[in-house]
Structure formats: C-alpha cells, structure tokens
Amino acid sequence: MPLERTLIFIFNSDSGVLPKIKDYASRAAAPGGDGCSLYSLTYSPIGMKKEWKRFIRDLGIPARFLNRNEFSSEFGPRALKFPVVLLQAGSELRLFISTEEINRCAGLGDLIDLVQQRVAQIR
C-alpha cells in the first residue's frame, strides 16, 4: 500500500494575526521585500483567496499550511529557506517547490500552474 502523500506549504512568517498583516502589507508595498510571497499570493486582507481555496480543494492531494514556527515545532529545526512547499510521504519530507520558484511567481495563476505541473510529475 503506497504512503499517503501531503503537500506542506510553509509560510515565511510566524503564526498570529499581526505577523500575517505585516507580511501582507510589506509585500504589497514592496514586492520582493521581506514579506512572505507565498502568503501574499494566496491570501487577501480578508482571508484565503477563493480561487486558491477551490484549487487546493480540487487538487486531489491533501495540503497543509503551516507557519515557520509551527513547522519547526512539529518537525524540528531544519535547514530550510522559507517560504517553501514540501512533499510529505510518511515521515519523509522532500522539497517540492523552492523559495526561489515561489518568489518568481508574478501572481496566483503562476503558482497554480507550478503546483499543477509538479503534482502531475508525482502521479
């Protein structure tokens, strides 16, 4: 029986409302700045973007969303650059989409295309 696979999207921010607002505002004010590009691509000031929510729901592979502090608490310290997307199969974690690839996405459509391409490679 094959292991259940899960995508883990890890934001370059800590949990809590204030860090999220700061990340969104800093990314909107200065694209490519210190804010989390994954967060600004997938969230608006009022929550997860509807198009992204539908895409994740229909993706056909479970997805989790963690902040970097939540990831470290659950999986321990790791030498990772954030934001990042990992593929989890059992206890194994491997790089699925790098920070640089996420940062090159000019909009949500680019990120969706990238995720679709990578998911197609593992099916």
Side-chain angles (χ1 to χ4, degrees):
M1 174 181 235
L3 291 173
E4 177 72 25
R5 294 178 297 191
T6 302
L7 292 180
I8 303 176
F9 293 82
I10 307 163
F11 299 110
N12 186 28
S13 61
D14 292 325
S15 56
V17 174
L18 291 177
K20 292 291 183 227
I21 292 170
K22 179 184 172 223
D23 286 342
Y24 184 83
S26 67
R27 181 71 179 178
D34 290 337
C36 178
S37 56
L38 178 60
Y39 187 80
S40 65
L41 288 167
T42 58
Y43 279 78
S44 73
I46 58 171
M48 186 181 281
K49 293 179 180 178
K50 290 179 184 176
E51 180 183 2
W52 179 246
K53 189 180 281 190
R54 271 191 306 273
F55 170 72
I56 291 298
R57 181 191 66 219
D58 298 338
L59 189 56
I61 184 170
R64 296 181 62 203
F65 298 89
L66 299 173
N67 296 294
R68 64 184 172 218
N69 63 323
E70 296 167 326
F71 175 79
S72 294
S73 292
E74 185 172 336
F75 295 97
R78 302 205 180 218
L80 289 173
K81 190 174 173 186
F82 301 107
V84 68
V85 183
L86 302 177
L87 179 66
Q88 180 181 18
S91 62
E92 179 187 344
L93 293 174
R94 73 173 199 222
L95 183 65
F96 193 71
I97 299 175
S98 72
T99 302
E100 292 75 21
E101 291 170 310
I102 293 169
N103 289 342
R104 281 195 298 266
C105 292
L108 181 57
D110 291 343
L111 180 61
I112 288 172
D113 290 345
L114 181 57
V115 173
Q116 284 176 324
Q117 291 168 10
R118 296 294 166 81
V119 168
Q121 293 173 357
I122 62 168
R123 291 197 178 188

